Amino acid sequence: MPIKVLDKRGSGSYTNIALGIRWAADHGADVINMSLGGPVPAQVLEEALAYAYGKGVTIVAAAGNDATGTVGYPAAYDAYVIAVGATRMDKELAYYSNWGSSLDLVAPGGDVNVDQNGDGYGDGILQNTFNPSTKRVSDFGYYFFQGTSMASPHVAGVAALVIAAGIATSPADVRAVLQNTAEDLGDTGWDERYGHGLLNAAAALGQPVEPPEPPVNQAP
């Protein structure tokens, strides 16, 4: 259910975002993802979040890409929103990711400046979208992006799977499942840089987690 609340430059108002949240809640959304944010709170935004949360909607939002210890809004509304930071392939916090007291989880957000898996591409999150160079909606393809905007949908997607599987339905229970099954990173337990840890879809769904295969030794 794509709901457009920003203009073609990615800008918009909290009022329009709030209207989008209410529209989603009124039209059957179980999960809302918001790969967007701003630096300050707004009553109209908080009221819309409370409205959707009260209707049983799990709300997920990007923490922000300012590399600061302050999570942006709406992610910083702790009572209603799961705030998501971004990691690189090596599970380190991405250089751009916001962090802080409101952070709940981290998920893959990419870092196009490095190639840690050696595949010849920068380690972005591959997306099917329009060409970022031409910005023409008719020019679609696969492109690598980075950001907490790429991390947040991972969490929203797993939240939807948890709901679909009947593991949890209420926003509070979905949050608990995701947090309790996350891979702990950084300091033991919750910490400001990684929250409760790295999203783990298999663990959230109660499936056995396969250990990663050892890397293949490259010939010199």
Side-chain angles (χ1 to χ4, degrees):
M1 187 192 297
I3 300 172
K4 184 175 175 61
V5 298
L6 305 178
D7 64 21
K8 64 182 181 180
R9 293 178 294 275
S11 299
S13 68
Y14 281 154
T15 298
N16 281 344
I17 295 170
L19 290 171
I21 293 169
R22 288 178 179 272
W23 198 95
D26 288 339
H27 288 78
D30 294 309
V31 181
I32 291 175
N33 175 72
M34 286 181 284
S35 291
L36 50 78
V40 296
Q43 183 175 350
V44 66
L45 181 60
E46 184 173 12
E47 289 175 352
L49 294 168
Y51 176 78
Y53 190 90
K55 291 178 73 73
V57 182
T58 297
I59 307 167
V60 185
N65 304 320
D66 306 304
T68 67
T70 303
V71 171
Y73 291 88
Y77 283 114
D78 300 333
Y80 312 116
V81 184
I82 299 173
V84 185
T87 56
R88 309 191 316 168
M89 183 167 287
D90 61 4
K91 301 182 182 180
E92 291 292 323
L93 191 70
Y95 71 91
Y96 53 78
S97 181
N98 289 5
W99 49 277
S101 60
S102 293
L103 188 68
D104 293 297
L105 294 166
V106 291
D111 183 348
V112 298
N113 299 303
V114 296
D115 180 14
Q116 293 181 324
N117 66 349
D119 65 356
Y121 297 96
D123 293 336
I125 304 300
L126 191 61
Q127 297 181 210
N128 183 213
T129 185
F130 63 84
N131 189 327
S133 299
T134 65
K135 297 185 174 10
R136 291 198 303 265
V137 295
S138 60
D139 188 6
F140 258 66
Y142 288 90
Y143 304 95
F144 289 104
F145 285 80
Q146 67 177 30
T148 57
S149 287
M150 285 74 241
S152 181
H154 285 86
V155 174
V158 176
L161 292 174
V162 166
I163 294 169
I167 296 169
T169 54
S170 73
D173 288 347
V174 172
R175 181 199 293 260
V177 169
L178 299 182
Q179 292 179 347
N180 293 339
T181 58
E183 179 184 347
D184 192 21
L185 299 175
D187 296 338
T188 302
W190 180 90
D191 65 80
E192 288 193 341
R193 292 186 65 80
Y194 296 96
H196 291 273
L198 179 64
L199 176 73
N200 188 321
L205 294 171
Q207 303 298 317
V209 180
E210 297 293 334
E213 294 183 3
V216 177
N217 291 329
Q218 300 284 337

